[in-house]
C-alpha cells in the first residue's frame, strides 16, 4: 500500500469511529420508567425507620462524651472572634444545643434550623439586634456608659442598618456579643447564594458569634475564599456523632415513598439524568414553554421543533421524534389535541413541581 492508501484508510477508520460514537449516544435509551419505581406508603416507611434499633450505643456515647471536654476550648475560640463549623457523619443538632446550654449561658442565643424548606433571615437579624440591644441595656446599669433611649424599632430597619448595628465599632464592651446556632447551614432553606451571602455578613459582625453544622460533602463549594477566611472565619471541628437525622429527616419526603409533587420531581429527575444532554435540553424547552403559557393545552410539536432547531438541539424531525419517543416511554410527557386539531405536548406536573425539576437538571 502506498502512502495515499494508508492515509485514506486511517481517515476512514477515524470517521467510522466518530460516526459510531455519535449514533451510540443519540440512540442511548434508559430502561427506567416512572411506573416501574416501586414506592411505598410514607407513613409506613417512617414507622419502619423509627423502629430501627441503634447499634454501638456505648461507643457512640463515649465518642460524644469526649467532645464535651472540648466545650471550654470552643468557647475560647468564639471569644477570640472565630466561628465554629461542625462537620462529620451524623446529626450534630443535639451536640450543638448541649454546648449552647452548658457553655453559652452568659450570652443570648438564636437558633436557625437550616433543614427547613424556607427561612426568614431578615427576622433572624432583627432578633439578633434586639437581643444585643437588651444586653447593652443590662450592661449600662453596671457601667457609666449611655445609650440612646429612643430609637427606631428594629423590625422597621433595613438589612444594612441592622448589620451595621451588630457591627458597631463604638461599643467598648468586647465580650458583648450574641450567638447564632445554624443547624445545617447547607440545608435547602439556606443553600442559595443570597442566603449564604447574608449569613456571611452576619458572621462578620463584631458582636455576633456563629456556630454552624454542615452535612453535605460539597457544602464548602457554597463559599468563596473571602467568605471563608474573612467573613465566616471558620474554625473547623471534626465531630462525627453517628447519630440518626431524626429531626432533620421529618421535613424531607422519603425518596422511596409516595409523596405527591415532591416525589414526582424526584422520580422524573432520576429518569432525566439517565438521558443525553440534548434530550434534557429538549425537555427543558418544553418545560419552559409550559411555564410561560399555563393557559394553553400544550406546545405544538411544530413549534417545539422550530425552537429546538434554532438552538441547535436537533438537526431533523427524526431526531426530535426519537427524543419524544423516549419521553413517552418514560411517561415524562403526554400528547393532547388542541381545539385547532394540532397535536400538543404537555408535561403532567404542576408548575411548582416543574420549576423544581428544571432547577435540578440545569
Amino acid at each position: 500500500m502506498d502512502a495515499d492508501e494508508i492515509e485514506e484508510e486511517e481517515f476512514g477508520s477515524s470517521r467510522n469511529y466518530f460516526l459510531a460514537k455519535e449514533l451510540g449516544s443519540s440512540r442511548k435509551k434508559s430502561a427506567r420508567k416512572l411506573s416501574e419505581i416501586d414506592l411505598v406508603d410514607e407513613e409506613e416507611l417512617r414507622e419502619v425507620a423509627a423502629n430501627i434499633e441503634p447499634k454501638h450505643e456505648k461507643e457512640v456515647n463515649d465518642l460524644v462524651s469526649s467532645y464535651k471536654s472540648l466545650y471550654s476550648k470552643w468557647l475560647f475560640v468564639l471569644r477570640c472572634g472565630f466561628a465554629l463549623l461542625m462537620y462529620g457523619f451524623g446529626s450534630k443538632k443535639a451536640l450543638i444545643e448541649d454546648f449552647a446550654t452548658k457553655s453559652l449561658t452568659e450570652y443570648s442565643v438564636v437558633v436557625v434550623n437550616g433543614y427547613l424548606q424556607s427561612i426568614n433571615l431578615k427576622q433572624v437579624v432583627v432578633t439578633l439586634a434586639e437581643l444585643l440591644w437588651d444586653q447593652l441595656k443590662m450592661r449600662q446599669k453596671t457601667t457609666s456608659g449611655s445609650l440612646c433611649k429612643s430609637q427606631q424599632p428594629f423590625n422597621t430597619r433595613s438589612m444594612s442598618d441592622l448589620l451595621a448595628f451588630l457591627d458597631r465599632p463604638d461599643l467598648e464592651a468586647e465580650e458583648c456579643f450574641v450567638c447564632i446556632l445554624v443547624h445545617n447551614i447547607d440545608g435547602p432553606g439556606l443553600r442559595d447564594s443570597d442566603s449564604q451571602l447574608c449569613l456571611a455578613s452576619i458572621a462578620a459582625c463584631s458582636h455576633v458569634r456563629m456556630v454552624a453544622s454542615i452535612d453535605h460533602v460539597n457544602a464548602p463549594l457554597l463559599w468563596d475564599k473571602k467568605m471563608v477566611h474573612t467573613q465566616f472565619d471558620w474554625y473547623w471541628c471534626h465531630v462525627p456523632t453517628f447519630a440518626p437525622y431524626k429531626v432533620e429527616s421529618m421535613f424531607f419526603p422519603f425518596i422511596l415513598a409516595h409523596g405527591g409533587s415532591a416525589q414526582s420531581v424526584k422520580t422524573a429527575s432520576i429518569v432525566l439524568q439517565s438521558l443525553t444532554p440534548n434530550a434534557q435540553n429538549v425537555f427543558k424547552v418544553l418545560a419552559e414553554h409550559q411555564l410561560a403559557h399555563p393557559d394553553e393545552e400544550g406546545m405544538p410539536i411544530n413549534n417545539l421543533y422550530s425552537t429546538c432547531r434554532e438552538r441547535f438541539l436537533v438537526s431533523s424531525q427524526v431526531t426530535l421524534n426519537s427524543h419524544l419517543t423516549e419521553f413517552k416511554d418514560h411517561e415524562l410527557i403526554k400528547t393532547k389535541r388542541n381545539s385547532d386539531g394540532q397535536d400538543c405536548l404537555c408535561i403532567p406536573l404542576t408548575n411548582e413541581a416543574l420549576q423544581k425539576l428544571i432547577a435540578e437538571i440545569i
Side-chain angles (χ1 to χ4, degrees), residues 125-336:
V125 178
V126 169
T127 304
L128 289 171
E130 290 174 345
L131 292 174
L132 179 61
W133 178 256
D134 292 339
Q135 281 193 31
L136 293 173
K137 287 193 295 185
M138 291 294 294
R139 287 176 178 267
Q140 182 187 10
K141 296 179 180 180
T142 58
T143 62
S144 57
S146 61
L147 290 173
C148 178
K149 295 183 179 180
S150 62
Q151 65 160 0
Q152 180 185 355
F154 287 110
N155 57 4
T156 62
R157 294 191 183 188
S158 65
M159 183 68 82
S160 57
D161 289 341
L162 292 168
L163 293 173
F165 173 76
L166 294 172
D167 196 32
R168 282 178 60 176
D170 58 320
L171 298 179
E172 297 180 357
E174 296 180 358
E175 284 294 313
C176 186
F177 58 80
V178 290
C179 299
I180 175 172
L181 309 183
V182 187
H183 299 300
N184 302 99
I185 197 172
D186 55 339
L190 301 172
R191 201 172 292 165
D192 59 286
S193 58
D194 290 340
S195 296
Q196 290 298 322
L197 287 171
C198 181
L199 288 168
S201 300
I202 295 171
C205 294
S206 56
H207 298 286
V208 176
R209 299 293 184 270
M210 181 176 288
V211 181
S213 66
I214 57 173
D215 287 285
H216 199 285
V217 66
N218 292 326
L221 297 177
L222 295 171
W223 313 309
D224 56 28
K225 187 176 181 180
K226 176 186 176 183
M227 294 168 70
V228 171
H229 298 293
T230 306
Q231 294 179 299
F232 284 120
D233 211 2
W234 293 124
Y235 180 87
W236 295 71
C237 304
H238 186 221
V239 286
T241 62
F242 299 96
Y245 295 91
K246 289 184 178 179
V247 177
E248 296 90 335
S249 62
M250 289 176 61
F251 301 91
F252 287 86
F254 279 102
I255 294 178
L256 299 178
H258 293 293
S261 61
Q263 183 57 43
S264 298
V265 171
K266 282 288 184 185
T267 51
S269 178
I270 292 172
V271 173
L272 283 171
Q273 288 172 7
S274 68
L275 304 181
T276 62
N278 268 8
Q280 294 175 11
N281 287 326
V282 170
F283 183 87
K284 185 181 174 184
V285 170
L286 182 59
E288 289 174 345
H289 180 273
Q290 184 165 317
L291 291 173
H293 305 84
D295 298 329
E296 295 185 3
E297 299 177 83
M299 186 176 187
I301 296 178
N302 292 337
N303 294 355
L304 178 63
Y305 173 66
S306 301
T307 304
C308 292
R309 189 175 176 83
E310 289 173 1
R311 299 185 186 183
F312 301 101
L313 299 178
V314 297
S315 58
S316 65
Q317 185 72 45
V318 175
T319 307
L320 177 62
N321 290 341
S322 67
H323 292 319
L324 296 180
T325 301
E326 199 158 25
F327 295 156
K328 292 175 183 177
D329 289 344
H330 299 310
E331 301 173 2
L332 290 173
I333 63 172
K334 291 183 177 180
T335 304
K336 293 182 178 180

Side-chain angles (χ1 to χ4, degrees), residues 26-38:
S26 63
R27 293 175 181 175
K28 177 184 175 183
K29 297 186 70 173
S30 170
R32 300 176 181 174
K33 295 183 181 180
L34 296 182
S35 59
E36 293 177 354
I37 299 178
D38 189 19

